[in-house]
C-alpha cells in the first residue's frame, strides 16, 4: 500500500513537469527548494515504503536523499518514462545489455572516423576569436575549428581555461552540480547455483538494513560462462566503503548477497572485480550530474545555452532518459543540429527531433491495474477505517435508540 502510493505519487507529480523546461512547472519553486528526504518523510509511513524511496535515489540517481532536489528527482524519473519503466528489468531500463560490452559503439565509430579521433588529449584551453575557436590540449597540440561541442559533465568544464571567460552565471552553475557516487562490483562463482535454486539474480535491497548493495543483476555471459552477479553501491554507502581495501569490500559484498538470498555459496566467490567511478578523473563520478535544491530553478535554463561558438551536450542536457546512453545520444545529436543551424544548413525547427522507435526492441508502456490506481495511501486507509468505525458506531447507536423507544 505504502510502496504503491509512493510510486504512484512520484509519477503523478511528474506529469506536470515540462521535459524541456522543468523550472516552469507550476510547483517548480516549491519542489526545487525541498529535499527529496523531506518529501519522503511526509509521504512514506512504512519501512517498505521508505526502503523503496531510498532505493530509487541511491540506485538510479546514485545520490543521497538529503542532498538532492525533489524537482530533480521528479524530472529525472519522468524523463525515464516513470518509476515502473526505470526500475524494472523486463520491459524496463535495466532489461538489456550488449554482448561484448557497450564500449564497442565508441570503438566502431572511432574506427570509421580514423585519425580524426584524438586519444589521450585532454582539452585545457578554449579560445574564441572572431570566426574561429582554438582548442589546446594537455599534450601541447592545438586545433582550430569553427565550433566546439562540449559533451562532458558540467563540473568537468571547470578544468578548462576559457578566453574570454565563461559568463558569470554559467561559471557559477558548473560549480553547483557534482557527479553521482557509485561503484560497480562483480562477484564470480563456479556455477550459476542461484539459477539452479530458482533465483533470477535480480534484487532490490534495503540498504538501511546493513546491506550496501542497492541492487544486483545476473551478469553471466550469454553462453553461460563466467557465472557472476553484478551489484551497484551508491551515494553515502560507497563513500563510506572507499577507505577499505578491495579484499574487505569483496567480503562485505559477498556477505550482502548471502544476507539477501540466504545461500551460503555466495560467501565463496572465486573472483572479484570492482570499479569506483568516483576515482575516474575524466568523469568525476557516475551516472550523471546530480542537482541539489535550488539548482534547476536558478540555473537549469542555461544548461544547454551556447556560449559564443561553444555548444553543450552530455546526458545532463538530454530530455529523455537522462543519465543513460539514450540521453547522451539525444543530447549529442541536438547539439550537432544546433551547430548546423548556426552554419545556416538547417532550419531552427529542425534542431529538436523525435527519434523513431526501434523495431528490434519494442517499447511497451506500463499500465497500472485498477487497484494500483485506486489503492488508498496509508493515511487514506486510516481515514477510511476511521470513517467506517464511526459510521458503524453511529448506525449501532441509532438502532439501539430506536429499539429502546419502541
Amino acid at each position: 500500500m505504502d510502496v504503491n502510493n509512493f510510486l504512484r505519487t512520484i509519477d503523478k507529480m511528474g506529469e506536470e513537469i515540462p521535459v524541456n523546461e522543468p523550472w516552469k512547472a507550476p510547483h517548480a519553486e516549491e519542489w526545487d527548494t525541498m529535499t527529496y528526504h523531506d518529501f519522503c518523510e511526509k509521504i512514506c509511513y512504512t519501512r517498505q515504503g521508505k526502503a523503496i524511496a531510498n532505493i530509487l535515489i541511491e540506485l538510479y540517481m546514485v545520490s543521497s536523499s538529503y542532498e538532492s532536489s525533489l524537482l530533480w528527482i521528479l524530472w529525472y524519473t519522468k524523463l525515464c518514462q516513470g518509476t515502473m519503466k526505470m526500475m524494472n528489468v523486463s520491459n524496463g531500463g535495466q532489461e538489456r545489455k550488449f554482448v561484448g560490452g557497450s564500449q564497442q559503439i565508441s570503438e566502431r565509430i572511432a574506427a570509421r572516423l580514423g585519425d580524426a579521433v584524438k586519444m589521450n588529449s585532454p582539452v585545457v584551453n578554449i579560445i574564441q576569436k572572431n570566426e574561429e575557436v582554438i582548442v589546446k590540449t594537455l599534450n601541447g597540440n592545438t586545433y582550430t575549428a569553427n565550433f566546439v561541442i562540449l559533451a562532458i559533465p558540467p563540473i568537468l568544464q571547470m578544468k578548462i581555461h576559457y578566453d574570454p571567460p565563461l559568463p558569470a552565471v554559467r561559471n557559477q552553475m558548473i560549480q553547483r552540480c557534482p557527479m553521482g557516487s557509485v561503484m560497480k562490483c562483480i562477484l564470480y562463482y563456479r556455477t550459476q547455483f542461484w539459477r539452479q535454486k530458482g533465483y533470477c539474480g535480480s534484487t532490490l535491497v534495503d540498504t538501511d538494513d546493513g546491506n550496501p548493495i542497492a541492487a544486483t543483476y545476473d551478469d553471466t555471459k550469454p553462453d553461460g560462462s563466467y557465472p557472476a552477479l553484478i551489484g551497484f553501491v551508491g551515494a553515502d554507502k560507497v563513500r563510506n566503503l572507499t577507505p577499505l581495501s578491495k579484499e574487505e569490500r569483496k567480503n562485505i559484498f559477498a556477505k550482502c548477497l548471502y544476507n539477501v538470498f540466504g545461500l551460503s555459496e555466495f560467501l565463496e566467490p572465486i573472483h572479484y572485480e570492482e570499479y569506483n567511478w568516483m576515482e575516474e578523473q575524466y568523469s568525476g563520478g557516475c551516472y550523471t550530474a546530480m542537482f541539489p535544491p535550488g539548482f534547476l530553478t536558478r540555473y537549469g535554463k542555461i544548461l544547454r545555452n551556447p556560449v559564443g561558438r561553444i555548444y553543450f551536450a552530455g546526458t545532463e542536457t538530454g530530455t529523455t532518459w537522462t543519465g543513460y546512453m539514450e540521453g547522451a545520444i539525444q543530447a549529442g545529436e541536438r547539439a550537432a543540429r544546433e551547430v548546423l543551424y548556426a552554419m545556416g544548413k538547417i532550419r531552427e525547427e529542425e534542431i529538436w527531433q523525435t527519434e523513431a522507435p526501434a523495431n528490434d526492441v519494442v517499447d511497451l508502456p506500463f499500465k497500472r491495474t485498477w487497484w494500483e490506481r485506486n489503492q488508498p495511501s496509508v493515511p487514506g486507509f486510516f481515514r477510511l477505517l476511521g470513517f467506517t468505525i464511526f459510521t458503524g458506531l453511529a448506525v449501532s447507536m441509532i438502532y439501539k435508540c430506536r429499539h429502546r423507544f419502541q
Side-chain angles (χ1 to χ4, degrees):
M1 181 182 296
D2 201 27
V3 170
N4 179 64
N5 180 65
F6 168 76
L7 299 177
R8 183 179 59 192
T9 302
I10 289 287
D11 291 340
K12 184 67 177 177
M13 293 172 71
E15 290 178 1
E16 70 174 64
I17 300 177
V19 294
N20 287 355
E21 300 171 310
W23 48 89
K24 289 187 176 180
H27 295 88
E29 181 69 20
E30 175 190 353
W31 293 347
D32 198 33
T33 53
M34 180 187 298
T35 66
Y36 179 71
H37 173 269
D38 290 342
F39 169 75
C40 292
E41 286 295 304
K42 293 180 179 180
I43 195 173
C44 297
Y45 292 84
T46 66
R47 179 175 176 177
Q48 290 83 358
K50 292 179 179 179
I52 287 294
N54 199 41
I55 288 170
L56 178 71
I57 190 169
E58 281 195 4
L59 176 59
Y60 302 103
M61 291 82 167
V62 288
S63 173
S64 290
S65 61
Y66 62 83
E67 59 188 351
S68 301
S69 155
L70 172 61
L71 180 63
W72 173 55
I73 303 301
L74 297 173
W75 180 58
Y76 190 110
T77 305
K78 179 172 184 175
L79 297 189
C80 297
Q81 301 182 26
T83 54
M84 301 298 288
K85 197 74 170 180
M86 185 171 65
M87 299 178 71
N88 269 273
V89 175
S90 298
N91 189 36
Q94 319 306 318
E95 183 175 33
R96 296 171 185 264
K97 60 182 180 180
F98 292 82
V99 176
S102 58
Q103 183 67 20
Q104 295 171 102
I105 299 175
S106 301
E107 292 170 347
R108 294 187 182 187
I109 292 175
R112 294 181 64 179
L113 293 173
D115 294 338
V117 177
K118 306 300 178 183
M119 306 293 288
N120 302 312
S121 302
V123 173
V124 295
N125 199 358
I126 297 179
I127 303 169
Q128 299 194 65
K129 287 187 175 181
N130 300 322
E131 301 299 313
E132 66 180 17
V133 185
I134 300 170
V135 177
K136 297 183 178 180
T137 64
L138 188 62
N139 56 16
N141 292 331
T142 299
Y143 304 91
T144 301
N146 298 113
F147 298 90
V148 167
I149 295 176
L150 290 183
I152 59 175
I155 198 166
L156 288 192
Q157 296 166 22
M158 294 179 62
K159 291 193 173 188
I160 301 173
H161 296 269
Y162 303 89
D163 184 12
L166 292 176
V169 178
R170 183 166 190 93
N171 192 38
Q172 287 283 296
M173 184 270 287
I174 61 179
Q175 300 176 47
R176 285 168 162 77
C177 46
M179 293 296 289
S181 305
V182 67
M183 173 187 286
K184 282 185 177 181
C185 54
I186 309 176
L187 292 99
Y188 293 85
Y189 296 90
R190 296 190 184 280
T191 64
Q192 276 185 294
F193 57 85
W194 56 92
R195 292 278 184 176
Q196 298 163 8
K197 298 189 178 183
Y199 295 104
C200 66
S202 297
T203 64
L204 294 177
V205 182
D206 182 359
T207 57
D208 285 338
D209 200 26
N211 298 308
I213 298 179
T216 63
Y217 303 99
D218 194 322
D219 201 42
T220 307
K221 302 302 180 186
D223 62 2
S225 62
Y226 300 98
L229 287 189
I230 185 171
F232 295 83
V233 186
D236 281 344
K237 303 301 186 298
V238 66
R239 296 166 195 155
N240 294 336
L241 290 172
T242 297
L244 303 179
S245 68
K246 183 178 179 180
E247 183 69 16
E248 288 174 317
R249 286 192 293 271
K250 180 194 77 171
N251 293 333
I252 290 173
F253 298 152
K255 181 66 180 301
C256 177
L257 296 181
Y258 167 71
N259 292 339
V260 172
F261 289 93
L263 303 177
S264 59
E265 293 94 328
F266 278 118
L267 296 173
E268 300 178 359
I270 60 172
H271 185 66
Y272 171 70
E273 292 290 342
E274 66 177 31
Y275 194 87
N276 188 347
W277 281 97
M278 296 189 298
E279 297 174 347
E280 175 53 59
Q281 182 175 187
Y282 295 112
S283 73
C286 208
Y287 322 116
T288 182
M290 46 174 283
F291 297 158
F295 179 87
L296 279 172
T297 49
R298 274 71 175 174
Y299 300 98
K301 60 179 66 69
I302 62 173
L303 263 174
R304 294 187 294 267
N305 285 359
V307 176
R309 290 176 171 266
I310 303 175
Y311 288 76
F312 301 96
T315 192
E316 292 83 5
T317 67
T319 58
T320 182
W321 288 98
T322 182
Y324 292 74
M325 286 188 290
E326 286 89 337
I329 292 170
Q330 184 222 37
E333 292 179 341
R334 182 264 310 155
R337 288 192 291 267
E338 285 181 321
V339 171
L340 290 174
Y341 169 68
M343 296 171 67
K345 294 184 178 296
I346 65 172
R347 300 186 306 274
E348 185 176 10
E349 57 267 26
E350 295 181 82
I351 293 175
W352 287 96
Q353 297 182 15
T354 301
E355 190 76 17
N359 294 324
D360 55 338
V361 181
V362 180
D363 187 12
L364 301 174
F366 273 97
K367 294 184 178 180
R368 285 189 165 88
T369 64
W370 182 91
W371 179 239
E372 288 173 331
R373 295 194 306 270
N374 296 280
Q375 185 183 39
S377 62
V378 172
F381 173 75
F382 283 122
R383 285 195 295 268
L384 178 62
L385 184 62
F387 176 77
T388 302
I389 294 174
F390 174 79
T391 303
L393 290 173
V395 170
S396 177
M397 291 177 64
I398 293 172
Y399 175 79
K400 289 183 177 180
C401 288
R402 292 184 61 186
H403 182 74
R404 179 178 179 181
F405 290 106
Q406 281 180 353

